[in-house]
Amino acid sequence: MKNYTWKFEQHQEETSTIVGFIHNAIQNFAKNPIQSIVREGIQNSSDALDDTAGHTQVKVIIRTGEVAKDEIPNLRDIEDHLRICKSRDNNSAENKEIQRHLNHIDNDKFFYQYIEVSDYNTKGMDPKSFLYFTQGDFKSHKDDPGSQGSKGVGKAAYFASSALRTMIISSKSDEGLRFRGTSRISTHKSPLDDSQKLKYQGYFGTTDVVDEADVPLRFRRYEKGTSIFILGSWQGAGDFKKKVITEVLRNYWFAVATDQLLVEVEDEVISSENLEVLMTDHFPSFKDHKTGLNQNPRPYYETYNKGMRYNERIPNIGECSLWLYKNDEFNLGAVARFRKTKMLIYKEDNLYSGYAGVFLCDDPKGNVFLKDIENEAHDEWNPNINPERKADARETIRAIKDFITESFGNYAGVDDSDSFGLDDLNEIFSFTERTPGSTKDNKPDAGPKKSTPDPDPEPRDRLISHHKFSVKQKGGEYIYDVEFTSSKTIRKQKIKFSIATESSRDSVEIVELDEYDFENDTVIIDVKKGENSIRGIKFSTPYLVAPAINSIK
């Protein structure tokens, strides 16, 4: 085995950037390190599929292990560099963060715990990819312009999971085997000469192809692909396995379901064959959240398996698919967005409660387009991200929403022709209106359309731009929810409820509401800018005809 040493380039006072230990990208990924490893690690592996060899499925192994600190000569010298990062020149917060890392490393005098992320049926890294991955900041080199990750910041996810801020990369391609360690700490003095300053990036090994015998046995690759070892990992044995499986299901269920991806976590395989069982075990209910750590993939998995499929050519992104399905236990009414590698991008509540949708663009050119308007976290498509695509992006995002709206109107109408009748007590009734003066498009109204005279014109509501009612029968009574969009934040705002009559709008009395104060036809609520909701309302009139809300002073 070759004798490697850690190398840090000398810091030049007049020309080198001074870099602190608290790095924004690393800190962001550290908020949920397991989710970060799963999303970033698997997307890198998915981008490296070796389809030229006939492979159609990427295999990823995520597991924990340990390596003796003295097993590899000079490896533990990185600790000396980390310790000397503490300095009087730092503020107290920075030194406290460095000490937190040191405390974790010092808990075990003899071993480094690690997390391994290895992929198979993949190409391995070519020279430029290996260089950029180990040595680049905000720099990425991927052959496919539609690669899931191409922003060059995802590697920070690995550093975020390492108390050593260190990872070892072993990658085998057609050219041979490459091996290198890389570390991101801070500008610091040399442990051997305190008169010399060193840069924040350190390297253990080279970017050149090496002989297999030169790579430590534990890190050696024998077939094409890449293995990444996160040294000094924060994760203990505990529930690591369960958390990783949960994040794989949450973010990559679609890729697993379509046999694009197989993941092995410790000793458990996640494949299309056992996906349904794992879904039920890890997500026993259908309750979902739009964002955050409580998101639930199960409504969308069920929608893909049981729902109705619609297809549409959408400007700039080509042929796209949408699956829609109805289940009264679906609480969010959201459509999950995916592109070619089938990692969840984001969800948007375009539907009514009781429905779910799955949107997919796997057109190669469309995949490139959507990648170009995707943020660094890969959880948003935004026309403002890429100025060159801005006009086209607005058109595309609008067309996606129109496709969803039209398909949902069709689906809700044909799914059950009586589903919105008054006699069907278990179904959902939904009403969506513009608030007077609003120009925002309605969501599809799948409910019954009753003929009522137009009420007298009302002045424009400058606070509420759009609202949507839905209702279910519970215990023989109709319970209503309303969602609305506000143009600004106001404390203790009064919201008035009304219904259409033959010649005007009449108030409707509220008889029960748990969450907010109310009086007669008015609810008092702290309104926030953007989306708001008032749920669980019982009115004196059981069935509301053309209900509406208005803000009043």
Side-chain angles (χ1 to χ4, degrees), residues 477-495:
E477 297 178 329
Y478 290 103
I479 306 299
Y480 288 78
D481 296 336
V482 62
E483 299 173 357
F484 63 93
T485 304
S486 173
S487 61
K488 55 186 175 181
T489 298
I490 299 180
R491 284 181 52 80
K492 295 185 177 180
Q493 173 63 46
K494 294 180 179 180
I495 304 294

Side-chain angles (χ1 to χ4, degrees), residues 478 480 499 507-512 518 520-521 537-544:
Y478 290 103
Y480 288 78
I499 57 174
S507 63
V508 56
E509 184 180 1
I510 301 167
V511 297
E512 186 174 313
F518 66 93
N520 297 325
D521 60 353
I537 316 165
K538 181 181 174 183
F539 293 100
S540 58
T541 301
Y543 182 66
L544 305 186

Side-chain angles (χ1 to χ4, degrees), residues 31-320:
K31 293 174 183 176
N32 187 356
I34 290 181
Q35 182 190 71
S36 300
I37 291 171
V38 168
R39 281 180 63 89
E40 297 298 327
I42 293 180
Q43 78 170 16
N44 286 337
S45 299
S46 298
D47 289 340
L49 173 68
D50 191 6
D51 50 4
T52 60
H55 296 301
T56 59
Q57 182 186 64
V58 169
K59 178 181 178 180
V60 177
I61 295 177
I62 302 176
R63 58 191 170 199
T64 56
E66 63 179 19
V67 56
K69 292 186 176 184
D70 294 326
E71 180 178 323
I72 302 168
N74 307 315
L75 180 63
R76 70 180 304 166
D77 289 350
I78 190 63
E79 290 187 30
D80 297 331
H81 290 271
L82 181 60
R83 292 182 197 284
I84 209 166
C85 286
K86 284 187 66 177
S87 166
R88 292 180 179 178
D89 294 334
N90 301 338
N91 61 34
S92 59
E94 185 170 10
N95 279 334
K96 184 178 180 180
E97 179 66 2
I98 296 169
Q99 187 61 53
R100 185 174 74 91
H101 285 63
L102 291 171
N103 290 343
H104 186 81
I105 295 303
D106 290 340
N107 280 338
D108 192 328
K109 301 293 184 183
F110 304 104
F111 291 92
Y112 292 130
Q113 305 300 314
Y114 65 75
I115 297 172
E116 176 188 351
V117 182
S118 293
D119 57 50
Y120 300 85
N121 301 334
T122 50
K123 302 173 185 177
M125 295 187 190
D126 62 29
K128 190 171 286 188
S129 296
F130 192 77
L131 173 67
Y132 286 179
F133 187 81
T134 61
Q135 202 166 323
D137 274 342
F138 302 102
K139 189 75 172 175
S140 175
H141 175 73
K142 294 190 176 181
D143 294 332
D144 184 355
S147 295
Q148 188 74 37
S150 57
K151 310 292 185 181
V153 297
K155 63 179 72 71
Y158 303 105
F159 295 123
S161 287
S162 168
L164 270 179
R165 289 278 185 88
T166 298
M167 59 177 168
I168 300 290
I169 303 95
S170 180
S171 185
K172 187 169 185 177
S173 66
D174 288 331
E175 298 169 327
L177 181 63
R178 290 180 171 84
F179 170 80
R180 198 182 201 194
T182 181
S183 180
R184 297 290 185 276
I185 46 178
S186 64
T187 304
H188 62 288
K189 292 181 179 180
S190 168
L192 303 177
D193 181 0
D194 64 6
S195 67
Q196 185 182 71
K197 261 190 178 179
L198 303 177
K199 292 186 177 181
Y200 72 104
Q201 300 162 303
Y203 306 102
F204 188 80
T206 177
T207 59
D208 297 331
V209 170
V210 297
D211 293 334
E212 283 187 356
D214 290 337
V215 177
L217 188 62
R218 184 181 300 274
F219 303 128
R220 195 176 298 170
R221 288 281 310 204
Y222 295 97
E223 56 186 288
K224 283 203 301 183
T226 299
S227 294
I228 298 171
F229 300 85
I230 303 167
L231 289 189
S233 67
W234 294 102
Q235 309 304 323
D239 54 358
F240 173 81
K241 175 180 172 180
K242 180 179 179 180
K243 288 181 178 179
V244 171
I245 292 175
T246 298
E247 291 301 333
V248 171
L249 297 176
R250 184 174 283 144
N251 293 281
Y252 285 100
W253 68 264
F254 203 174
V256 174
T258 54
D259 291 318
Q260 286 181 221
L261 177 68
L262 183 146
V263 183
E264 185 177 320
V265 183
E266 303 289 18
D267 56 350
E268 186 159 0
V269 174
I270 306 172
S271 71
S272 59
E273 294 181 359
N274 66 347
L275 184 56
E276 186 167 358
V277 173
L278 290 172
M279 276 284 191
T280 305
D281 288 346
H282 287 262
F283 299 93
S285 78
F286 289 107
K287 186 176 181 180
D288 188 22
H289 296 260
K290 188 174 178 181
T291 59
L293 302 182
N294 292 316
Q295 293 185 72
N296 187 345
R298 198 172 160 201
Y300 312 97
Y301 173 68
E302 178 156 313
T303 295
Y304 171 71
N305 281 321
K306 300 179 180 179
M308 183 176 290
R309 181 174 180 174
Y310 297 85
N311 294 298
E312 181 79 12
R313 288 197 65 82
I314 292 179
N316 306 309
I317 61 174
E319 187 80 11
C320 298

Side-chain angles (χ1 to χ4, degrees), residues 480-482 512-518 523-526 532-537:
Y480 288 78
D481 296 336
V482 62
E512 186 174 313
L513 175 62
D514 294 332
E515 193 172 356
Y516 301 107
D517 293 332
F518 66 93
V523 174
I524 301 171
I525 177 176
D526 289 339
N532 295 263
S533 64
I534 304 173
R535 301 187 181 278
I537 316 165

